[in-house]
Amino acid sequence: MLHQAPLVWGEIAVENMDRAVEFYGKHFGVSFRRETMNDMDMAILETEDKEAASIGLVKHEMMKPSAHGSVLYLHLSDKLTPLVEKIAQAGVNILLPVMPIKEGECGFIALFEDCEGNTVGLWSMESK
């Protein structure tokens, strides 16, 4: 058994970094720190806990947005249903409405399509 959570970093591929940063900032109220690492254009999600696992938006020739790749689940709200309703009203394509995991015992998830065409998940322990 692992002694710590295995996820340390996740990347969401983007074609247009400015559009992606604006999308996530507008719909989820998050902010990013922009960096260039070697030839990768990156926007790193800013968090209070600098040691916590996090994500970055990444623009690079070897990374292509996709609706059919790995899915990252983001915890961006304590209650999932109001957040999903808000982004749906703003025109974000909801691929999977809020649904319980093990009848809510393990929280709730939803899937949406981001501005780059990626399938991204949302998770929260509470729905409403």
Side-chain angles (χ1 to χ4, degrees):
M1 175 165 309
L2 295 174
H3 293 282
Q4 63 188 40
L7 181 65
V8 295
W9 178 251
E11 295 177 343
I12 298 174
V14 305
E15 291 287 334
N16 183 314
M17 185 62 75
D18 292 334
R19 178 177 62 206
V21 167
E22 180 181 345
F23 175 88
Y24 283 93
K26 173 183 174 185
H27 294 298
F28 303 108
V30 295
S31 60
F32 294 89
R33 182 180 77 251
R34 300 282 296 263
E35 288 187 13
T36 301
M37 187 181 307
N38 300 324
D39 58 347
M40 296 175 95
D41 186 12
M42 302 181 76
I44 299 167
L45 183 70
E46 295 180 313
T47 61
E48 288 183 27
D49 182 356
K50 302 299 182 202
E51 300 298 316
S54 192
I55 63 163
L57 306 175
V58 179
K59 181 179 179 184
H60 188 271
E61 64 185 32
M62 70 179 208
M63 300 199 51
K64 301 291 178 215
S66 173
H68 307 290
S70 299
V71 176
L72 295 176
Y73 285 83
L74 308 176
H75 182 204
L76 299 173
S77 176
D78 290 334
K79 297 181 188 302
L80 193 54
T81 298
L83 176 59
V84 172
E85 288 173 351
K86 176 185 139 197
I87 67 173
Q89 289 173 357
V92 174
N93 185 20
I94 305 302
L95 302 171
L96 176 71
V98 176
M99 64 170 278
I101 306 168
K102 289 187 174 183
E103 299 178 15
E105 179 183 332
C106 297
F108 297 83
I109 61 168
L111 296 173
F112 68 93
E113 179 181 357
D114 77 1
C115 63
E116 303 298 297
N118 295 300
T119 296
V120 180
L122 296 170
W123 175 90
S124 185
M125 203 53 211
E126 295 182 39
S127 172
K128 297 179 182 185

